Amino acid sequence: MLEAPGKNYVSESRGSRGPRRVSASPERRLRRDLSEDFADDPHWEDDAPVGRRKAGLRVRFRGVPSTRWGRIAAGCGVVVLLGICAGLFAMARSFLLHDERFVIPSSSSIEFQGNAHVTRAQLLSIFGEDVERNIFTVSLAQRRAELERLPWVAHATVMRLLPNRMRVSIVERTPVAFVRQGSHIGLVDGNGVLLDMPVEARPDGKYSFPVVTGISAEDPLSTSRGADEDL
């Protein structure tokens, strides 16, 4: 009768469990964690020397000289380039401000559009100083503000048409009623702005509005607007 080698089988089974797992050292664990964190970075080198990793990442810009004299030469080149640009800008500015082709020759070079009640003479009184003047020295914002101070002008646009012409577009106010102030008859728009009667207009021929009384030029616009809304 044969006896099974039980003890030997048990000892062999215990021996076949494989090598015992050894806990990783802190340094290897840190290296493994860093490898997992930077696994997607193509520039990360897991096998790089320790001294290289401690030195940090060095960034180099292409085209920048690495030597001292090279950087000095590059700085001088930048200064020269800036000087050339400044000189070209000064030449262009002098050409635009002093060339005779950019001078407004006469009042006929100023074009007006949209004016039905404001006469050309009234508009030219604002641009009188701009005739025979360089077109680039005319302040468009200032001329627009002066135009919009005229009672009939609600909005104005001023443009330069190179080399020596200007275009002015006018949006006039729309009257809604007559205003009687003593013996004087005028007009008023929907915002309560008092308007003078145009010279060529006749109350019985061009306008057909109700007559409002009790409005004075010294009254605030809120009072005049309220009177217009009651019409």
Side-chain angles (χ1 to χ4, degrees):
M1 191 177 170
L2 299 175
E3 296 180 359
K7 293 183 179 181
N8 295 335
Y9 179 78
V10 174
S11 53
E12 290 177 1
S13 300
R14 292 179 179 178
S16 60
R17 292 181 181 178
R20 185 178 59 182
R21 181 176 298 177
V22 180
S23 59
S25 62
E27 182 180 357
R28 292 187 59 187
R29 188 183 297 111
L30 177 61
R31 182 177 179 182
R32 182 181 60 188
D33 294 340
L34 292 176
S35 301
E36 293 176 357
D37 293 339
F38 295 92
D40 297 333
D41 190 354
H43 300 287
W44 171 258
E45 297 179 1
D46 190 23
D47 296 331
V50 179
R52 181 179 178 181
R53 293 199 300 268
K54 290 182 179 180
L57 182 62
R58 294 182 180 179
V59 180
R60 292 183 179 180
F61 298 95
R62 295 181 178 180
V64 178
S66 57
T67 62
R68 177 181 178 183
W69 290 107
R71 289 192 293 269
I72 293 175
C76 294
V78 172
V79 172
V80 171
L81 181 60
L82 292 177
I84 294 174
C85 294
L88 293 176
F89 175 78
M91 292 175 58
R93 185 176 183 274
S94 177
F95 170 75
L96 295 176
L97 294 179
H98 297 92
D99 194 274
E100 294 182 356
R101 287 175 290 183
F102 300 105
V103 176
I104 301 174
S106 62
S107 60
S108 60
S109 300
I110 304 176
E111 177 185 351
F112 298 100
Q113 298 177 345
N115 57 310
H117 300 89
V118 185
T119 63
R120 179 178 176 84
Q122 291 175 322
L123 297 174
L124 282 177
S125 64
I126 296 177
F127 293 87
E129 299 179 356
D130 299 331
V131 178
E132 298 182 356
R133 183 179 178 184
N134 187 280
I135 194 172
F136 292 105
T137 60
V138 179
S139 175
L140 302 184
Q142 182 178 355
R143 295 296 178 265
R144 183 183 63 184
E146 293 174 355
L147 288 169
E148 293 178 351
R149 292 193 189 102
L150 297 176
W152 274 98
V153 178
H155 180 70
T157 302
V158 184
M159 297 178 293
R160 296 187 181 95
L161 300 180
L162 299 180
N164 56 4
R165 297 181 62 85
M166 298 189 68
R167 177 178 296 170
V168 181
S169 299
I170 301 295
V171 177
E172 294 184 340
R173 300 185 185 274
T174 303
V176 297
F178 290 110
V179 176
R180 183 186 298 274
Q181 300 179 17
S183 59
H184 177 74
I185 296 178
L187 296 168
V188 63
D189 72 341
N191 293 323
V193 178
L194 298 178
L195 308 171
D196 294 331
M197 187 71 67
V199 178
E200 68 277 5
R202 293 181 302 172
D204 58 348
K206 189 173 182 179
Y207 301 111
S208 179
F209 298 136
V211 179
V212 179
T213 59
I215 298 179
S216 176
E218 289 77 15
D219 295 336
L221 290 179
S222 58
T223 303
S224 302
R225 189 181 297 112
D228 296 336
E229 293 175 354
D230 295 337
L231 295 176

